[in-house]
Amino acid sequence: MLKRTILMVFCTMMLALGSRAQSKVDYVIADNYFPLRSVIAPVDTVILSNQKFFSMFGIAAHMGSDAIPYPINFDKEFVIVVQLPPASRYVEIEPLLLWESEKYLELTYHVNYGQSLSWTMNPTLILIVDQKYWRPRIMCTER
């Protein structure tokens, strides 16, 4: 009985330690921005400043209540960008999970392919992340 109790306590401790080593990171998807033509795909990058962001992206002009781009405060946030090559069919980059460890962040995403288009789109995912999660190494992985 004592061995079983010790084993249960050990397993509980290992689970608790493991959950601290890797934890989920909250983010916001930045809508209503578009990549400028000077941006060469594919890009998996991190942006830390307003100047760098607007050298790569413009504000999409359209009407409606959802037309206002999500504001980014680079004093408190940074941006992770995943961009795929131009495509003549609908492509959506869907974020699955962003998690942190002591040394890096990892973004896992899935690419959904849709119908053919009569024009070319630049599939881009822009995530806004709180500065407290900043790591010098950020990995982006397609699943």
Side-chain angles (χ1 to χ4, degrees):
M1 183 71 170
L2 182 59
K3 286 183 182 179
R4 179 183 252 174
T5 304
I6 292 172
L7 181 61
M8 287 180 65
V9 169
F10 178 75
C11 288
T12 303
M13 287 175 47
M14 292 306 290
L15 284 172
L17 288 173
S19 66
R20 274 191 234 134
Q22 297 177 352
S23 60
K24 184 179 174 196
V25 173
D26 292 326
Y27 57 84
V28 174
I29 297 174
D31 289 325
N32 300 326
Y33 295 100
F34 68 94
L36 300 174
R37 292 203 181 269
S38 60
V39 177
I40 300 170
V43 175
D44 296 341
T45 192
V46 175
I47 301 173
L48 302 172
S49 72
N50 199 44
Q51 181 180 3
K52 173 81 172 181
F53 184 81
F54 284 106
S55 73
M56 297 175 68
F57 296 97
I59 296 174
H62 63 276
M63 297 175 71
S65 61
D66 63 343
I68 299 171
Y70 194 91
I72 305 168
N73 180 349
F74 283 99
D75 292 330
K76 297 179 181 179
E77 300 162 324
F78 66 97
V79 169
I80 299 173
V81 177
V82 177
Q83 187 175 31
L84 302 177
S88 58
R89 65 181 187 169
Y90 182 79
V91 179
E92 177 188 28
I93 306 169
E94 176 186 2
L96 299 176
L97 180 64
L98 179 62
W99 60 272
E100 68 170 331
S101 71
E102 275 186 37
K103 297 182 180 180
Y104 60 91
L105 287 178
E106 182 172 0
L107 169 65
T108 305
Y109 63 91
H110 178 73
V111 179
N112 297 310
Y113 296 96
Q115 65 190 19
S116 293
L117 302 170
S118 60
W119 45 275
T120 301
M121 71 174 294
N122 293 316
T124 305
L125 173 66
I126 304 171
L127 300 182
I128 303 169
V129 183
D130 192 296
Q131 280 284 0
K132 69 182 178 185
Y133 298 112
W134 165 250
R135 301 289 184 278
R137 184 171 174 213
I138 298 176
M139 300 185 308
C140 298
T141 307
E142 181 182 349
R143 299 262 182 219

